[in-house]
Amino acid sequence: MSLPEKAFPVSWDQFHRDARALAWRLAGANKGQWKAIVCITRGGLVPAAIISRELGIRVIETVCVASYHDYTSQGQLQVLKEITPALLVDDGAGVLIIDDLTDTGKTAGIVRAMMPKAHFATVYAKPKGRPLVDTFVTEVSQDTWIYFPWDMGFTYQKPIADDHAG
Ligand SMILES: O=P(O)(O)OC[C@H]1O[C@H](OP(=O)(O)OP(=O)(O)O)[C@H](O)[C@@H]1O
Ligand code: HPA
Ligand SMILES: [Mg+2]
């Protein structure tokens, strides 16, 4: 297992602020009028909850995709549950697709193909995935791993000087 060079840990508070910032941007797009949210599980569940609250969207659908089976290594992408046909009309126009991040862009590419006219939004984006999303909040470099608060717990931190002792 190879770990990306840099770490970008995100606290619950920071994630809430960043997801709210995404909601502000989305309120300005499509006049804030969305038919429904399609949330890409599982990572999209938390931002979808925050955005649905901020924008008053009550219809929430899931598309269930899994690709990172072993922590940081990506495997075969599996679609475990498809989008309800009711939302696929008119290629998904007026629908908001939400995920926590786009990395290589593979997940975004697969879901975009299901709804080419939907608006795709993520909280974070890495350069390879960035061209596939319409709206995001923060870009992080490709060699960075984003640590989400739901994947973390409190642990002891070594003093910075311990790694710089000469
Ligand atoms: O741009 P990509 O390289 O495709 O990676 C991005 C996807 O990877 C993660 O999901 P994951 O498959 O790990 O499942 P999870 O959301 O259930 O954690 C993340 O939540 C995105 O959906
Ligand atoms: O940087 C990441 N962090 C968490 N999950 C991910 N899935 C793909 N890339 C990432
Ligand atoms: Mg995911």
Side-chain angles (χ1 to χ4, degrees):
M1 183 185 78
S2 63
L3 274 176
E5 217 174 296
K6 299 171 203 152
F8 181 80
V10 181
S11 66
W12 280 111
D13 185 56
Q14 187 179 344
F15 191 83
H16 194 179
R17 281 164 193 263
D18 289 343
R20 270 215 178 116
L22 182 58
W24 272 105
R25 282 176 201 190
L26 294 168
N30 199 38
K31 300 190 183 113
Q33 297 302 304
W34 307 100
K35 273 201 267 197
I37 285 177
V38 169
C39 151
I40 306 180
T41 69
R42 296 161 300 176
L45 287 163
V46 180
I50 295 164
I51 288 156
S52 67
R53 187 269 178 187
E54 296 300 338
L55 301 184
I57 303 166
R58 301 270 182 170
V59 180
I60 320 287
E61 165 66 340
T62 58
V63 57
C64 303
V65 184
S67 64
Y68 289 79
H69 304 290
D70 179 21
Y71 190 21
T72 61
S73 58
Q74 192 168 32
Q76 188 68 31
L77 202 143
Q78 287 174 284
V79 178
L80 304 166
K81 181 200 152 284
E82 306 265 358
I83 299 165
T84 176
L87 289 178
L88 298 178
V89 292
D90 197 13
D91 282 342
V95 173
L96 186 55
I97 303 171
I98 300 286
D99 207 351
D100 52 357
L101 84 147
T102 178
D103 186 323
T104 63
K106 280 190 195 164
T107 305
I110 295 257
V111 178
R112 249 195 182 291
M114 297 173 187
M115 303 183 116
K117 289 192 193 154
H119 190 101
F120 203 109
T122 60
V123 184
Y124 305 110
K126 298 189 192 179
K128 279 191 194 163
R130 193 184 157 162
L132 287 119
V133 299
D134 298 301
T135 307
F136 67 95
V137 175
T138 302
E139 181 167 346
V140 302
S141 62
Q142 204 66 46
D143 59 354
T144 296
W145 191 258
I146 302 168
Y147 289 90
F148 288 111
W150 50 87
D151 285 332
M152 289 191 294
F154 286 110
T155 57
Y156 173 76
Q157 297 293 303
K158 268 195 307 182
I160 292 168
D162 286 9
D163 285 333
H164 288 77

